[in-house]
Amino acid sequence: MTSIKQQIEALSASLHQHNINYYVDDAPTIPDAEYDRLLHELKALEQQHPEHVYPDSPTQRVGGMPLDKFEQVTHLKPMLSLDNAFNSEDIQSFDKRNSDKVGRIEYCCEPKLDGLAVSILYRNGILERAATRGDGNVGEDITENVKTIRSIPLRLRGEFPDLVEIRGEAFMPKAAFDAVNEAAKTKGDKVFVNPRNAAAGSLRQLDSRITASRRLDFYAYALGVVEPESWALAEDHYAQLQQLKSWGLPVSREVKVCPTLPDVDAYYADILTRRDSLDYEIDGVVIKTNSIAQQQQLGFVAKAPRWAIAYKFPAQEEMTLLESVDFQVGRTGSLTPVARLKPVFVGGVTVSNATLHNADEINRLGVKVGDTVIIRRAGDVIPQVVAVVKEKRIESAEDIVFPTQCPICDSDIERVEGEAVARCTGGLFCGAQRKEAIKHFASRKAMDIDGMGDKVVEQLIDKELVQTPADLFGLSASAITMLDRMGMKSATNLVKALEDAKQTTLAKFLYSLGIREVGEATAANLAAHFKNLDAIKVANVKTLIEVEDVGVIVATHIEHFFAQSHNLEVIDALLAAGIHWPQIEEVAEDAQPLKGQTWVLTGTLTQMGRSDAKAKLQLLGAKVAGSVSKKTDCVVAGDAAGSKLVKAQELGIKILDEDGLLAVLNG
Ligand SMILES: NC(=O)c1ccc[n+]([C@@H]2O[C@H](COP(=O)([O-])OP(=O)(O)OC[C@H]3O[C@@H](n4cnc5c(N)ncnc54)[C@H](O)[C@@H]3O)[C@@H](O)[C@H]2O)c1
Ligand SMILES: [Zn+2]
């Protein structure tokens, strides 16, 4: 059995290490809730065994420590932490303990901003020095960085003391946090776990240009040292904050005087409901004794004032076990790994699933099945796995393996090089992709089935009248009348529209299959190049990239699509249903009058889409380029054509308007 002393030492050592991770490296490895539990455990042990309370215990000292890469600043008055309360009873006993000593207390309530404490010294109204809290006695000189925060005045306004120290919270607004992490992910840099760590990491930069780019903000919440001491400060905390405001310092609009405890509870409840809509993170409210005289009577304990308390909100980060990973197929075939978690209460709800996004994200996190992970749920945002608690990794933890077959339709899964997302290639057949596939198939630029809108498609699938596009052509008018607001007349019209749609072109048919990245223009190029469907079915990447505008990625998608037997079955069924198109004639050289020419399209065409025009020009043999150069043979200038038209004029290149183009196309 370990002795109490050993237990206390082990807990202290662990908390000390977590303090370093959090305050020095800005990279905690466990969620705050877990840290708080460990600290609570230590406090309880120390209470039972006061002989083992050491002066350097994490319960006795502010957790931070100044880094020696910064100049050190000794605070004129220590910067302390706050005691925590987690429920209304905690607040009641806080109030009772204090009012027993000093009589009835009025409170001032403020949001507990989730950033880091900063002290700013103004001498004769000029910002002289700014420092972090550090270990409470010695902080770091971050003057240059603090000066980059736009809301902090470099010079005070109005009437102010000769020397005044302002204390407040520097924080990173939610939007700035998202932007910083988005950019870091793109660059493959380290991602911050939460806005607090991001703010601390940004403010403790040796290069203040980096700090400036991070869009930090600041709210003042207290006065430190003031000289001369006789200077007329207001007598309560709320009024002092108004003084700070009159000097030009930003003060939160949410600060409120709460005369009674029920007012305090109401304040807490109100701001908790608005937590998600605030521009910045808060992790609770700070309840302060409003009267400065009462504050002085109450004084301090080891590392916190007796006259204030932090009333914490439910944690937004928790840790739990990742039990398994499932793969969901989205409506466009994308495969999303979903973490199945041991249920955990976080952000006010019980969470048992979290998205892992894609393979890149899994690699970035280095997460395995069987790991203990940190889950973050802030507001309505879907729960995220933000980190692995590496120290809790078990030996039997297993790598997450992506399936090679679609869990819904068993088609091959492809992950094209350079793309983060893996996808099911069974687009025409896959149950997960059915609705999107058929909506696309029926759309105007594809098979152009009149009256087959999105709503109709959705109902046909929901009522299980249709599973693949081929089933559309077997629909009877009486079956169609089962849909909402579909009388016999409209149903008959729809059957007729289906019949009419069977007559199409190879290009439209290819486009309607919904092959990834095969748009109208590519479909037209494929049709013109291969001239019949059978040739396209057996084409491979090597032969496909010979087609105008088809690169390796598109070619890979096409090859994979036609390699799926289920897709081929649906195509056969479509042809059996009577879909047909005119044979594409071998185009003789002289039928390609624009062979060897380079054309450029610019401006808006009113009678056809740009991609249509491009495909038609290509059929006539022209190459269609994106920019004008000396090698350009002709520029088609639609409405509002701009710089390309000007350049063509400068180079003396032939210019056609839309009518001119139509004349060429219609031969
Ligand atoms: N995950 C980890 O490994 C780890 C390690 C260490 C600490 N922590 C977390 O850090 C927190 C403890 O940190 P702490 O000691 O810095 O204290 P704290 O953040 O709980 O409370 C004190 C701080 O609140 C801030 N504050 C915000 N708004 C304020 C306001 N209106 N008035 C006054 N102060 C305001 C100040 O910066 C002050 O220093 C806990 O939540 C703990 O879980 C986590
Ligand atoms: Zn599938």
Side-chain angles (χ1 to χ4, degrees):
M1 262 235 17
T2 46
S3 67
I4 296 294
K5 182 163 185 281
Q6 282 168 325
Q7 274 183 50
I8 287 183
E9 277 170 3
L11 266 176
S12 300
S14 159
L15 285 162
H16 180 69
Q17 182 57 47
H18 288 304
N19 279 340
I20 292 177
N21 298 343
Y22 183 91
Y23 291 109
V24 179
D25 300 335
D26 300 316
T29 60
I30 55 170
D32 288 1
E34 173 69 4
Y35 177 90
D36 293 345
R37 282 191 290 267
L38 294 173
L39 189 66
H40 185 80
E41 214 179 300
L42 178 61
K43 263 190 197 157
L45 279 175
E46 288 181 346
Q47 234 158 41
Q48 288 160 19
H49 305 277
E51 71 279 13
H52 290 310
V53 182
Y54 306 102
D56 63 346
S57 163
T59 62
Q60 303 301 306
R61 294 172 44 154
V62 171
M65 33 218 111
L67 279 189
D68 47 18
K69 64 178 183 180
F70 292 97
E71 289 287 323
Q72 306 210 331
V73 173
T74 303
H75 298 302
L76 302 173
K77 248 191 201 175
M79 292 181 77
L80 299 179
S81 177
L82 287 168
D83 236 359
N84 286 335
F86 293 94
N87 52 49
S88 186
E89 286 84 72
D90 291 349
I91 298 300
Q92 273 161 26
S93 48
F94 159 78
D95 178 61
K96 174 145 190 350
R97 198 172 59 234
N98 285 344
S99 50
D100 281 353
K101 281 199 199 119
V102 300
R104 218 186 73 75
I105 299 173
E106 172 182 81
Y107 293 102
C108 179
C109 293
E110 310 175 8
K112 184 170 186 295
L113 305 153
D114 208 5
L116 69 160
V118 170
S119 148
I120 310 173
L121 200 64
Y122 288 91
R123 194 182 299 276
N124 301 320
I126 307 291
L127 191 161
E128 180 177 274
R129 192 184 71 192
T132 61
R133 189 181 69 178
D135 65 6
N137 294 312
V138 180
E140 299 149 322
D141 186 333
I142 50 162
T143 310
E144 290 316 308
N145 294 345
V146 163
K147 283 181 175 171
T148 70
I149 302 178
R150 285 147 199 245
S151 52
I152 296 180
L154 300 179
R155 173 191 291 269
L156 298 181
R157 297 196 301 243
E159 293 282 309
F160 42 77
D162 300 345
L163 183 84
V164 58
E165 181 199 358
I166 307 295
R167 290 177 177 184
E169 195 84 346
F171 57 92
M172 184 177 282
K174 290 172 186 170
F177 171 70
D178 290 340
V180 165
N181 267 0
E182 215 37 64
K185 273 188 194 170
T186 322
K187 279 201 263 161
D189 286 352
K190 188 187 113 196
V191 168
F192 290 108
V193 171
N194 54 41
R196 200 221 80 98
N197 297 121
S202 303
L203 209 46
R204 296 157 81 234
Q205 289 284 339
L206 289 176
D207 181 351
S208 47
R209 282 172 305 183
I210 298 179
T211 314
S213 73
R214 298 282 173 84
R215 307 268 152 192
L216 296 171
D217 209 339
F218 176 85
Y219 280 133
Y221 55 62
L223 278 163
V225 173
V226 173
E227 284 174 15
E229 279 179 47
S230 59
W231 209 85
L233 287 175
E235 283 170 10
D236 67 53
H237 175 72
Y238 183 83
Q240 287 191 350
L241 291 183
Q242 305 314 307
Q243 274 181 317
L244 299 192
K245 220 161 141 181
S246 75
W247 300 339
L249 288 154
V251 173
S252 167
R253 270 183 293 146
E254 304 287 349
V255 180
K256 237 186 175 168
V257 174
C258 293
T260 68
L261 274 197
D263 296 330
V264 170
D265 275 329
Y267 178 88
Y268 174 91
D270 169 59
I271 211 154
L272 180 55
T273 62
R274 291 190 292 117
R275 179 186 199 177
D276 300 336
S277 58
L278 297 177
D279 295 338
Y280 43 83
E281 293 256 321
I282 60 176
D283 62 342
V285 303
V286 184
I287 299 165
K288 296 176 181 169
T289 300
N290 199 23
S291 149
I292 303 291
Q294 283 180 328
Q295 285 187 8
Q296 281 163 353
Q297 271 176 281
L298 289 166
F300 298 86
V301 288
K303 63 169 185 177
R306 278 203 196 85
W307 46 265
I309 197 160
Y311 189 176
K312 295 284 233 77
F313 286 156
Q316 289 186 321
E317 278 161 29
E318 258 299 355
M319 59 184 203
T320 191
L321 193 66
L322 192 162
E323 292 178 328
S324 62
V325 173
D326 284 346
F327 291 86
Q328 281 176 351
V329 188
R331 50 193 189 88
T332 58
S334 57
L335 207 63
T336 306
V338 179
R340 304 294 180 202
L341 308 165
K342 182 160 174 243
V344 59
F345 191 74
V346 56
V349 299
T350 301
V351 169
S352 42
N353 302 310
T355 174
L356 286 167
H357 300 288
N358 54 47
D360 287 350
E361 178 74 357
I362 289 174
N363 289 339
R364 191 182 69 72
L365 291 165
V367 62
K368 298 183 179 212
V369 174
D371 270 343
T372 296
V373 291
I374 301 181
I375 303 297
R376 177 174 164 81
R377 182 186 179 274
D380 293 334
V381 181
I382 46 169
Q384 309 279 319
V385 176
V386 290
V388 175
V389 184
K390 289 268 165 55
E391 62 195 58
K392 293 199 182 272
R393 169 159 289 169
I394 49 170
E395 228 168 83
S396 58
E398 281 176 26
D399 284 339
I400 296 168
V401 185
F402 270 64
T404 52
Q405 307 309 124
C406 172
I408 305 284
C409 75
D410 205 39
S411 297
D412 293 340
I413 296 294
E414 70 167 7
R415 183 176 172 201
V416 173
E417 215 175 299
E419 283 192 359
V421 179
R423 289 173 199 276
C424 163
T425 50
L428 278 189
F429 177 79
C430 184
Q433 303 178 58
R434 217 162 256 169
K435 283 187 179 167
E436 294 312 304
I438 298 181
K439 283 179 195 170
H440 173 77
F441 180 83
S443 63
R444 199 176 56 77
K445 290 179 180 170
M447 295 299 284
D448 194 14
I449 306 171
D450 209 21
M452 184 73 72
D454 290 359
K455 291 264 156 49
V456 173
V457 172
E458 283 179 17
Q459 289 186 63
L460 286 170
I461 291 164
D462 291 341
K463 293 193 195 295
E464 295 183 11
L465 293 167
V466 161
Q467 293 190 321
T468 73
D471 297 340
L472 292 173
F473 298 97
L475 285 170
S476 65
S478 60
I480 295 173
T481 56
M482 286 165 65
L483 308 186
D484 296 346
R485 262 170 291 158
M486 193 62 90
M488 200 50 173
K489 183 150 189 294
S490 338
T492 315
N493 284 343
L494 191 49
V495 171
K496 164 116 192 344
L498 280 159
E499 197 52 43
D500 292 347
K502 287 181 185 172
Q503 157 80 46
T504 182
T505 64
L506 176 57
K508 287 195 172 207
F509 182 72
L510 283 172
Y511 173 66
S512 76
L513 299 178
I515 305 167
R516 220 177 137 60
E517 288 188 35
V518 175
E520 274 179 282
T522 306
N525 291 342
L526 285 167
H529 183 94
F530 288 100
K531 303 194 176 59
N532 66 70
L533 182 60
D534 288 334
I536 299 173
K537 278 187 193 166
V538 298
N540 55 31
V541 171
K542 196 161 155 266
T543 51
L544 284 162
I545 56 173
E546 286 170 14
V547 178
E548 174 94 32
D549 280 347
V550 172
V552 175
I553 291 180
V554 185
T556 309
H557 289 310
I558 298 168
E559 188 187 295
H560 286 174
F561 180 89
F562 287 107
Q564 306 309 310
S565 58
H566 290 314
N567 287 341
L568 297 177
E569 282 159 22
V570 175
I571 290 172
D572 286 346
L574 285 166
L575 300 179
I579 288 183
H580 62 282
W581 50 84
Q583 176 79 33
I584 298 173
E585 301 298 330
E586 281 293 329
V587 192
E589 280 290 300
D590 59 350
Q592 291 206 307
L594 305 182
K595 183 116 198 139
Q597 296 192 14
T598 301
W599 286 51
V600 172
L601 298 166
T602 180
T604 312
L605 301 178
T606 53
Q607 300 176 58
M608 69 179 98
R610 236 210 248 170
S611 52
D612 263 348
K614 181 174 175 184
K616 285 181 178 150
L617 284 169
Q618 285 169 345
L619 271 181
L620 295 180
K623 191 169 172 318
V624 180
S627 58
V628 177
S629 72
K630 271 186 276 181
K631 292 191 188 132
T632 310
D633 294 283
C634 182
V635 169
V636 178
D639 288 351
S643 61
K644 287 180 195 171
L645 174 58
V646 175
K647 184 145 187 213
Q649 284 162 340
E650 281 169 11
L651 295 174
I653 289 165
K654 182 172 145 195
I655 296 165
L656 289 181
D657 61 8
E658 186 166 358
D659 288 336
L661 171 68
L662 286 172
V664 171
L665 293 181
N666 297 331

